[in-house]
Amino acid sequence: MATNPINSKKQSIVSQKDLNLLIRIIKTNWWIPLVVLPIFYIIGTFYVYRLTFIYQAQTTILLKSNDQYYQNNVLSDQTFYSYSSYVDNLNEQRVIQSYDLANKVVTKLRDKIQVSYFIVGKVRTTEQFQGTPFKINVESINPAYYEQVFDFRIIDYNNFEITFDQDGIKQTKKGKFGEDLIDSDLRISINRASFFTEISVADFKEIFYQFVVHTPEYLISSIQSNLTIENPEYTNILIIKLNDILPERAILILDTLNSVYSVSKLQTKFELNERTISYIDRQLDEITYSLKSIEDTMQDYKKNNSIIDLEWEKGDFLSKIGTYDNQKSKMQLEIGAMDDLEKYIIEDKDPQFLPPNVFIVERVGFMNKAVTDLYDKQIELNRVYNVAKETNPIIADLKASIKKTKQDLLIYINNTRKATRLQIENINREILTYINEAKLIPGKQRDILTIQRQAAVSEQLYNFLLEKRANTKIAKASIVPDMKIIETPRDIGVISPDKPGIQKSFLSIGLLVSIFIIFLRAFFYSKIKSVEHLRELTELPLIGVLPYVKEENNEGIIVDYSPNSVISEAFRNLRTNLLYANIGVDAKTYLVTSFLPGEGKTFTSTNLATIFAKSGKRTVLIELDLHKPRIFKRFGLPPQTIGLTTCISGLNTYEEIINETPIPNLFCIYSGPVPPNPSEFVLSNKLKELIDRTKQDFDFVIIDTPPAGLLSDSIYLVQQVDATIFVLNTRTSTKRVITFMENVIEANNLKNVLLVLNGISRMGKRYYYQGYGYSYGYGYGYGYGKGYGFKK
């Protein structure tokens, strides 16, 4: 049992058939991308050229810069107009993008951006910002003319002309440069630029200008819609970007926006400064009035309470109380001394030990003298006791004298003590009086201190506000904005359209179109150029391959006058393959047709009939293409007046229409005159009888028919022959032809349909020595399906 080679080894992912298909598609369609891609590149370049370029300008600012301008705040020691370390950048972005700020920019740039200037070219219209030879100043204009296009032409050095639509009617106005153009709907003045001279006027006259007057709302909306702000994370930096058709205008707008924003920041500080000064002035007026009221209150209080100087009164009271306290202390000391002396006298103690405080009572006076005398007498008595006896009269006199002195002292002490105590009581009363007076002083002093404190506070606040008012005045002269321009406005280039991207897109589209065209050509309109391609499309058996023959060699019977040529060898191979085709043992009738005219149907039928005749077989060639007969030309004959049509019409007999040819064993039945209704002749019974008779009289019958793709004649005749040869041409045959054939075969249940591929270029030996009948498997049961095959 034979081994299937497919099962004997692992099947490859990409087969040779797939590679052949890919190579064939590349070889037949390589030129398509080379044509389509440049076309789409040119279209993309032209499209990009027609687009309006959008430029972007950029500026960078720093919020809350460290360029502080004053270091004393009204309310604290912080910076005068201090902000916290965090700046709400989102709020600042909204301020920059606000309508009011954009309005200020538009107002400031009104003369420069209110009018847009255009130059109209053959392909596109371009807007100009600088370089136009004239400048338009709009004094007043009808609101209906805003955003309307005005045509402008320079007539000569002094005159111009503008054209515009008014209620659908073209209006033309002429004016002079440098003079106002006054109309009921507009008032404008147009001035020449510095480079507009009498020499250059000829060039400017050839240019077609346009201009448009914009409303402030349009300009504001345009700025807001094209303005973007970026805030890098964790920074106080704002990157402001503006998109515009004109980079110079974008730079100018951004520069003005920086200026207006900076001024707005300064204006806020100026307003704060003015409000601060106003507030300080109001506070100073209030404090001045308060100080005057306090002074009046102090004066009235002192007057009502008879106060001269509380401090002096307080000192006087304390001094007197202190004096009385001293006197009281001395008197109490004296009473103590007298009590001790009295005790000494009554107890009659040793005279050598008098009380130590006896002598502090009086330095002079009776008591001091009496005590001294008593002391002396006692000393003397003690001395006498040492030298005399008790009975000594001196002792008795001294004792009597001492007794008398003690009595006198006791009486004096008692009287003096009473007097001193009376003095103490008087002093206590005086002290109490002064103490009571002194107790009133703190209340008065407290009231006065309260009034003085109010006055001091008001005075300090007054001085503080005066100082801050002066500081605020000084600060106003040095106010700077708390934003800093890091990068001045600059042009960063074109941001749209993306020219390389668009061109790449067009190239991509061109590539897709190329692939789509290649796909259509490969699978629907691709010409069948090789045997391999034909095998990929159908399982119908291929009976022969014919090489390409030039037009000048395409007339006549080529196998007759060039028997050793490649084409003759191809027809001999075709004859051999037909003889071995598994059609039937007695198969002798072959119908030759094609899908369209010009595919080599007649060429194949005449040469095939000739090659059969040259092999010694009686062969007849029947021309059944009654619509456009051409076989007579192959034999170098004029149009024939006798043929099939005259036979079927009964004008001629069967024998009369059979014509011998210069080629031995080859006979021909021409079509005869072209009838008005060829299809009726094909469908007639006489034609069927004629074909049946030729089968009896000849070895092979070759029938040339009309193209099957245009007429149904050949499809009807297929049922009357043994085999049908369908000629395909590499220049015209596509997959659609194969689909048509398979549909016809399936619809009519046709058998024995064979293919011949005509027009193969560069046909080598492999088509002959390795080809037909054996290598392609036609004679060894190559399975095509539907019962097709070859004899062994």
Side-chain angles (χ1 to χ4, degrees), residues 491-729:
D491 177 22
I492 62 174
V494 178
I495 62 167
S496 68
D498 182 7
K499 181 178 179 181
I502 293 176
Q503 289 179 331
K504 289 179 181 178
S505 299
F506 271 88
L507 287 175
S508 300
I509 295 173
L511 182 60
L512 293 176
V513 171
S514 300
I515 295 173
F516 181 71
I517 293 174
I518 292 173
F519 175 79
L520 291 179
R521 283 172 49 83
F523 294 97
F524 297 100
Y525 300 100
S526 177
K527 305 296 188 298
I528 301 174
K529 294 292 185 180
S530 65
V531 173
E532 292 80 3
H533 188 191
L534 183 59
R535 285 178 177 177
E536 294 170 3
L537 299 178
T538 182
E539 294 181 351
L540 293 175
L542 177 63
I543 200 68
V545 178
L546 302 178
Y548 171 73
V549 178
K550 294 182 180 181
E551 292 294 334
E552 57 268 19
N553 298 326
N554 202 15
E555 297 296 332
I557 310 298
I558 194 169
V559 297
D560 182 50
Y561 65 77
S562 183
N564 296 323
S565 63
V566 175
I567 186 67
S568 298
E569 183 64 25
F571 274 107
R572 283 191 283 272
N573 286 331
L574 175 60
R575 178 191 63 189
T576 302
N577 290 335
L578 285 174
L579 294 176
Y580 284 97
N582 188 16
I583 300 171
V585 177
D586 55 349
K588 59 169 58 179
T589 309
Y590 299 99
L591 181 145
V592 181
T593 186
S594 65
F595 182 72
L596 295 173
E599 292 189 305
K601 165 182 62 63
T602 301
F603 171 76
T604 301
S605 61
T606 54
N607 284 278
L608 181 62
T610 302
I611 209 70
F612 271 118
K614 285 183 174 291
S615 65
K617 302 294 183 180
R618 281 175 52 84
T619 306
V620 62
L621 176 62
I622 301 176
E623 186 177 24
L624 271 177
D625 188 356
L626 303 180
H627 299 268
K628 192 176 181 181
R630 296 185 62 185
I631 289 181
F632 63 87
K633 292 182 180 180
R634 294 286 175 178
F635 295 101
L637 301 175
Q640 299 297 301
T641 58
I642 298 175
L644 284 173
T645 56
T646 58
C647 179
I648 294 173
S649 300
L651 301 178
N652 296 100
T653 63
Y654 169 75
E655 290 78 8
E656 292 175 345
I657 62 173
I658 297 178
N659 300 285
E660 294 186 359
T661 65
I663 300 172
N665 298 321
L666 178 62
F667 299 87
C668 185
I669 299 177
Y670 298 105
S671 64
V674 178
N677 51 351
S679 297
E680 294 182 2
F681 283 83
V682 173
L683 299 176
S684 65
N685 293 326
K686 289 185 178 181
L687 177 63
K688 186 176 182 303
E689 295 173 357
L690 187 149
I691 294 174
D692 291 338
R693 188 169 180 181
T694 56
K695 290 180 182 181
Q696 298 173 2
D697 297 341
F698 295 93
D699 296 325
F700 292 101
V701 179
I702 309 298
I703 301 174
D704 184 67
T705 63
L710 300 179
L711 300 169
S712 61
D713 297 359
S714 58
I715 297 175
Y716 171 75
L717 293 172
V718 167
Q719 301 173 0
Q720 302 181 29
V721 298
D722 298 323
T724 301
I725 300 174
F726 203 101
V727 179
L728 304 174
N729 196 292

Side-chain angles (χ1 to χ4, degrees), residues 286-352:
E286 293 178 1
I287 293 172
T288 301
Y289 178 77
S290 176
L291 284 172
K292 186 176 181 305
S293 299
I294 291 172
E295 290 176 357
D296 293 340
T297 302
M298 175 69 78
Q299 188 68 27
D300 293 341
Y301 186 82
K302 287 184 177 181
K303 182 178 179 181
N304 295 331
N305 291 277
S306 300
I307 298 174
I308 299 175
D309 189 350
L310 285 177
E311 290 297 328
W312 177 83
E313 289 182 2
K314 179 181 178 182
D316 183 59
F317 288 156
L318 293 177
S319 175
K320 288 180 178 181
I321 292 173
T323 301
Y324 285 127
D325 281 335
N326 289 333
Q327 291 177 3
K328 179 181 176 181
S329 297
K330 288 180 180 181
M331 289 179 182
Q332 288 177 344
L333 187 60
E334 289 177 358
I335 291 173
M338 286 186 289
D339 289 338
D340 289 339
L341 182 60
E342 182 180 33
K343 182 179 180 182
Y344 170 77
I345 293 172
I346 294 173
E347 292 180 356
D348 195 15
K349 292 183 178 181
D350 188 354
Q352 294 184 2

Side-chain angles (χ1 to χ4, degrees), residues 361-373 409 412 416:
V361 178
E362 288 182 345
R363 295 293 179 182
V364 292
F366 171 77
M367 183 177 292
N368 187 39
K369 184 179 178 181
V371 170
T372 302
D373 184 52
L409 278 173
Y412 183 81
T416 302

